[in-house]
Structure formats: structure tokens, C-alpha cells
Amino acid sequence: MKKKSKKHAEAEKPWKLKLKTLEIHGGGSEKDTELRPGLYRATAFPLGSFERAEKLFAGEERGFIYTRINNPSVDKLERRLAALESAEAALATSSGMSAIALLALHLAAPGGHIVSSNRLYGGVFHLFRENLPKLGISVKLVENPFDLKLWEKSIKPNTKFLYVETPSNPVIDVFDVGALARLAHLHNIPLVVDGTLATPALLAPLKFGADAVVHSLSKYMGDGEVIGGAILGKQKLIDDLRLTWFRDTGPCISPDNAVVLCYHIESLFGRMAEHCRNASLVAKYLARHRKVERVYYPTVGTKSRFNKKLMPKGFGGLMAFEVRGGAKNARTVLENLKLFWHAPNIGEARSLVIHPATTTHGQLTPKERAKAGIPDGMLRLSIGREHPQDLIDDLAQALGKI
Ligand code: PLP
């Protein structure tokens, strides 16, 4: 019998690696020759023989062709993401929005129907309400997404998939992925989960029965440095997407960004633990403040026990709170914060603040915002990894200005 090389033997670990280890080793293979993910800044790759070229283009043989379709650096990121999400395969994209749009086109065009929670990032809400309908895809936004019966009632013969963002941006609602997956499968349709705010460090939607997961990698995964997105699921889904909508519309991620993402993902679990701890401390402080009407974070409020069952490891760093006195007072607080940066991202080391009603969710009508639970006095906080007491002190002094 041929003796295996040492490297090969190492790759075949006799035990199942923990997720925490996979953030560093996930997707590695015996073919790896680099200790760190290598940067393949190239547009095209040699095709070899005439026959191989034909097979590569037909999708009958795996290999690198052209960076719009695949690339070794991007492949490394995809394998690492798939390992972390326990998915058969992953497709990295230029942004979270392109991942969601691609998957929706692939699953529902032409003439399909989507049932989604109305608790969505504003950009996705706009895609679903304005642009997919222009392509003949209709979307039902369930207005009380905690009520499974409303989801079921919305399913039609042409419904192609259920879609849920959990936790949701900016009200941080946590949904029961297992229950939604069971409902979807009862109707022979897939469940797609946007797991951006949880990341694989806090939630494993595929293990709960979801069929595909989408991520904006622009948040926690990239630690605020790069824009990117991903779709994860069965190998067939990913292969089909790669050779159709992805190849034909071109929203690929650059190899440079893929490598940056691989590096940041190596510290994901530790960073998420810090975000979770800081956010729950800030939420606890704000929940007791007399100038705060309501805090939106899953550890506070009536659903906190149930939420903990759904996401026992924590809820990430995004939270929101409603300032008493509406938009005017929310503006005063925002303008007086000294440590929080006024910026639209989520998941960076530094804490950020934004007023959703006039920015990230400004594309919703006032009525739609009310139904989605976004009041004018709400401020969204992306809690970073500073010392939590400094964040609390900053909020205390800013709230003191109203
Ligand atoms: N999904 C969620 C939950 C988001 O918060 C965002 C952006 O804020 C997106 C998707 C879109 O991601 P991207 O900005 O990478 O296109």
C-alpha cells in the first residue's frame, strides 16, 4: 500500500474538529501548501488540454477558470465558511445584497413567490418590495412573523421559499429556525436564513433544518475592513448558482478581499464573545434608564428566556433603544455621543450609532416602519469591543443632554 505523506495524514484528523478550531483550520486540505491563505491576484488560470477546457466550462470537472467564476483565494474562503456553517458548499459574493439577490433570482425567477418576515435590513426590504416584483417575483412580508400560522397562510402554490433574518436588523428579533424549517418542508419548499448578525459562532441554521444560509461578510466576519457576502447550502445548489446567475451577472468577490476575510475569520469566535458580553451589559444599563422607552436586545424583555433557548451562546453586538420623546431627543443623544461613531456598519471593533428611521430603514414608508417595529425615536447601536463601562458612561452623558 502507498505510504501517505505526513501532511496528508495530518489533514485526516481522527476526531471531529470543534467549530472554534475550524475558524482557523476549516476547509483545509492535504493539497494546501501554504500556512496562511495565499493571495492569487489573477484574472484567469491555465486550462491545460483542449479536453480539460471543455470539461471545466461544462462544469464536468472542478478547477479554476476565471476569477469571475472561481479563484484559489476565494475557494479557500468558501471552504472555510462551509466548514464553519457545516454546509456542503459555499459561494462567496461581492456583498451580502448580491448573495441575497442571486439566491432569490435562482430560486424564484420567473414568476415565483417568496414568504418573508418583515423584520429585515432595509436594503433587503427594498429589494423584496420594489425590485423583485419588477422581475415578476412577488414577496409577502409577514407582519407578525412570530405567528407561524401567518407564515402558513401566506404560502401559495407558487411560493418558492421562506426567508428569515435572525436575529433581525435593527429590532434584534430572534426567530425559531427549526419551526420555520419544519413548516417550509411540510410545503416542500426550502427555508433560507440570513445569519449575518449571528455568524456561525452563535447560530447554526443548517443544523436546525434550514436549507440555505446567506451572510453579509461585511459585518462581523470582515471586522469592518471589507465588503463581501456568501451563500451556503448543498453542493448542487452552489454548483447550479455558480454556473448560472453568478457566472452570468458577475458579482464575484475579489481575491484580496477573500484573503482579508480569511484572516479576520480566524478571530471570529473570540470577537463575538466580546460583542455579546458588552451588548448585554449596555442593554441592562439602558433598560433601567428613565429616559429610555424600550430596549431592543434579546436578553431583556418578556421573550428573554425563550430567546436564550434559541441562541444559547448569545446574540451578538447589534442592539437598539427607543429614546423617550421621539426623533428630536434621539437626535440629541446621537449628536452628543463622544465614543460611538456615527456610521452605518455593524460588527466593528469600535462602537457605532445610527438613526434607522432616516438612514438604514429610510426606504420603508412610515407605515411599514411602524409595522416592522421601528419607531422614530429609535437609535441602533453596534456595540464594539471597547471596555463596556466606557460605552455606558458615554451613553449616560449623552442621555443626560435631554
Ligand atoms: N443582511 C443584513 C442582516 C444586513 O444587516 C445587511 C447590511 O447591513 C445585509 C444583509 C447586506 O449586506 P451588504 O452590506 O454586505 O450588502
Side-chain angles (χ1 to χ4, degrees):
M1 206 177 107
K2 213 176 130 201
K3 202 168 169 277
K4 281 179 184 168
S5 72
K6 184 161 182 293
K7 216 184 318 146
H8 193 162
E10 274 170 6
E12 285 174 0
K13 304 275 184 303
W15 69 93
K16 200 168 170 286
L17 295 177
K18 313 270 181 301
L19 275 187
K20 173 73 185 83
T21 305
L22 292 178
E23 72 176 3
I24 299 162
H25 292 266
S29 83
E30 70 278 13
K31 296 188 196 79
D32 282 351
T33 51
E34 294 131 341
L35 202 55
R36 318 263 300 163
L39 173 56
Y40 292 82
R41 197 183 274 148
T43 308
F45 301 90
L47 297 172
S49 69
F50 191 88
E51 288 78 14
R52 184 168 179 266
E54 193 177 5
K55 283 187 180 154
L56 284 172
F57 273 76
E60 288 162 10
E61 185 176 324
R62 292 190 188 278
F64 300 108
I65 303 176
Y66 187 69
T67 286
R68 172 159 49 75
I69 304 166
N70 52 11
N71 169 287
S73 304
V74 177
D75 183 59
K76 180 86 189 176
L77 169 67
E78 291 173 342
R79 284 188 284 125
R80 179 148 304 164
L81 289 170
L84 279 175
E85 201 65 86
S86 306
E88 280 181 22
L91 178 71
T93 59
S94 57
S95 68
M97 284 310 301
S98 60
I100 296 162
L102 272 182
L103 191 56
L105 289 172
H106 180 68
L107 294 176
H113 177 250
I114 302 167
V115 179
S116 166
S117 144
N118 73 338
R119 311 293 157 93
L120 296 169
Y121 160 59
V124 179
F125 194 99
H126 194 255
L127 171 74
F128 283 2
R129 189 195 60 195
E130 296 295 321
N131 285 316
L132 290 186
K134 287 182 196 156
L135 302 171
I137 301 172
S138 55
V139 186
K140 169 70 187 171
L141 296 167
V142 177
E143 281 172 8
N144 177 5
F146 286 103
D147 187 346
L148 273 187
K149 286 196 203 87
L150 295 179
W151 287 81
E152 182 147 40
K153 259 172 65 186
S154 308
I155 297 172
K156 303 200 291 190
N158 66 335
T159 302
K160 301 295 182 191
F161 66 95
L162 303 187
Y163 183 93
V164 71
E165 182 179 305
T166 186
S168 66
N169 172 4
V171 291
I172 331 294
D173 278 333
V174 183
F175 295 102
D176 188 341
V177 173
L180 283 166
R182 285 190 291 279
L183 175 66
H185 299 160
L186 215 59
H187 294 265
N188 290 320
I189 50 176
L191 171 69
V192 176
V193 174
D194 180 341
T196 299
L197 298 189
T199 80
L202 304 178
L203 184 70
L206 297 179
K207 287 194 180 156
F208 283 108
D211 302 275
V213 178
V214 287
H215 282 291
S216 164
L217 305 179
S218 328
K219 315 293 170 204
Y220 297 103
M221 300 264 206
D223 204 13
E225 196 175 346
V226 287
I227 293 272
I231 304 168
L232 297 109
K234 291 256 187 290
Q235 187 73 55
K236 180 167 180 348
L237 171 77
I238 300 303
D239 288 349
D240 288 352
L241 262 165
R242 194 184 297 281
L243 292 182
T244 57
W245 285 103
F246 181 70
R247 180 162 78 174
D248 294 352
T249 55
C252 58
I253 192 167
S254 76
D256 299 66
N257 284 359
V259 168
V260 171
L261 276 159
C262 282
Y263 291 157
H264 284 304
I265 289 171
E266 292 187 355
S267 61
L268 182 69
F269 279 63
R271 289 189 283 112
M272 290 312 286
E274 276 193 75
H275 285 295
C276 290
R277 194 186 56 230
N278 281 1
S280 57
L281 289 170
V282 171
K284 197 169 157 193
Y285 165 75
L286 288 173
R288 291 196 193 125
H289 202 291
R290 66 187 172 83
K291 291 181 184 168
V292 172
E293 186 66 40
R294 186 171 165 193
V295 175
Y296 299 76
Y297 194 68
T299 55
V300 297
T302 49
K303 289 208 192 85
S304 57
R305 277 179 69 178
F306 186 60
N307 289 340
K308 201 154 192 293
K309 276 195 199 144
L310 297 178
M311 286 181 67
K313 294 191 213 160
F315 306 96
L318 196 71
M319 58 173 298
F321 67 106
E322 186 184 355
V323 182
R324 285 215 164 115
K328 189 172 153 285
N329 282 352
R331 179 180 175 153
T332 306
V333 173
L334 184 150
E335 288 177 343
N336 281 286
L337 284 167
K338 308 240 177 283
L339 199 57
F340 283 79
W341 288 81
H342 183 198
N345 202 16
I346 298 169
E348 303 209 10
R350 55 202 58 66
S351 291
L352 312 172
V353 60
I354 202 158
H355 181 239
T358 50
T359 58
T360 53
H361 291 74
Q363 289 164 317
L364 279 67
T365 63
K367 210 167 154 195
E368 284 167 339
R369 275 199 299 277
K371 284 184 181 162
I374 304 170
D376 288 348
M378 175 190 269
L379 291 178
R380 187 187 82 178
L381 303 176
S382 170
I383 299 294
R385 307 199 304 277
E386 301 92 339
H387 193 291
Q389 193 56 49
D390 284 327
L391 302 176
I392 290 171
D393 289 348
D394 195 20
L395 286 159
Q397 65 78 24
L399 280 160
K401 299 287 190 308
I402 52 173

